[in-house]
Amino acid sequence: MEYVNHGTGTDGCDGLPKVTQALVFMLAAINSNWKVPVVHKIGVQVRTLTFDGTVSNFSMAKYLGVDLSMPYPKPFFKHESGIVVYILLDAAHMLKLCRNTLGDWKTLYDESMKPIKWSFFQNLVSIQEEIGLHVGTKIRTRHIRYHKEKMKVR
C-alpha cells in the first residue's frame, strides 16, 4: 500500500493517509505510436509539457511555478532533479478556443478597441461559397459551423 507523498521525504510513513487516487502523466510520441508513463526514477527526462487550454492545465502550471501572463511570461519550471521543463500550449487547440470564443461572443476587441466580428468570417465564407473561390486562409463553412466538431484537431 502506498501513502500520500507530496515530495516532503516522508515516504512510507504510517502516519500519512493511504493513497486513493493517482495523477499520472503520459508521454506520447509525436512521430511514432507509443505512450509511456512519466517515471523520473527510471531515467525518463521530460523537457517540455504541451497541453490545451483547460483551467486544470493552467492551474497545474501555476502550481509548478510557471507564469504564462504577459508581458513577461516564465514558461518553464525547474524539476527537483535540476532539469528545466518548458510549457508549450498546443497551437491547434488554442486557435480553436479563440475561434470558439469569437463564434460564441460574436464580437471581440483588439488592443485599439477595434471590433473583430464573427460576422466578418461568416460573410467571407458566404462570398467564397457564392463565387466558388476560396482565399488562402482555407476558411470553409465547417469552420463557421464549428459546434458540430469543436475540438477535432486531427
Side-chain angles (χ1 to χ4, degrees):
M1 176 57 71
E2 291 292 321
Y3 295 91
V4 172
N5 178 359
H6 295 288
T8 58
T10 55
D11 269 344
C13 177
D14 289 334
L16 293 173
K18 292 182 180 179
V19 171
T20 59
Q21 298 177 3
L23 174 62
V24 178
F25 293 96
M26 298 291 289
L27 298 178
I30 292 174
N31 55 2
S32 187
N33 192 18
W34 57 265
K35 290 181 183 178
V36 63
V38 177
V39 182
H40 180 73
K41 292 178 184 177
I42 63 168
V44 174
Q45 293 184 358
V46 176
R47 301 294 179 150
T48 62
L49 292 176
T50 303
F51 54 74
D52 62 11
T54 61
V55 173
S56 59
N57 288 334
F58 283 97
S59 295
M60 172 203 59
K62 186 176 180 180
Y63 182 79
L64 291 170
V66 172
D67 182 2
L68 297 174
S69 61
M70 298 305 273
Y72 304 107
K74 180 191 164 235
F76 60 87
F77 65 93
K78 202 170 202 174
H79 184 268
E80 63 186 26
S81 67
I83 294 172
V84 175
V85 180
Y86 288 88
I87 299 293
L88 302 173
L89 302 178
D90 184 323
H93 276 93
M94 301 312 287
L95 286 171
K96 288 187 180 204
L97 289 171
C98 292
R99 186 239 4 233
N100 296 351
T101 300
L102 180 57
D104 292 346
W105 290 11
K106 305 301 182 213
T107 304
L108 298 177
Y109 296 90
D110 69 11
E111 65 275 358
S112 302
M113 294 307 293
K114 293 180 183 170
I116 304 166
K117 295 184 178 185
W118 182 245
S119 62
F120 297 160
F121 298 94
Q122 290 174 310
N123 292 340
L124 173 62
V125 169
S126 179
I127 291 167
Q128 289 179 154
E129 296 296 323
E130 189 177 305
I131 64 175
L133 293 174
H134 292 78
V135 296
T137 59
K138 300 181 182 180
I139 187 170
R140 302 284 194 273
T141 303
R142 62 183 279 253
H143 300 112
I144 297 298
R145 296 184 185 145
Y146 64 90
H147 285 90
K148 294 183 180 187
E149 50 182 289
K150 272 193 177 181
M151 283 298 167
K152 188 177 180 182
V153 291
R154 269 210 156 157

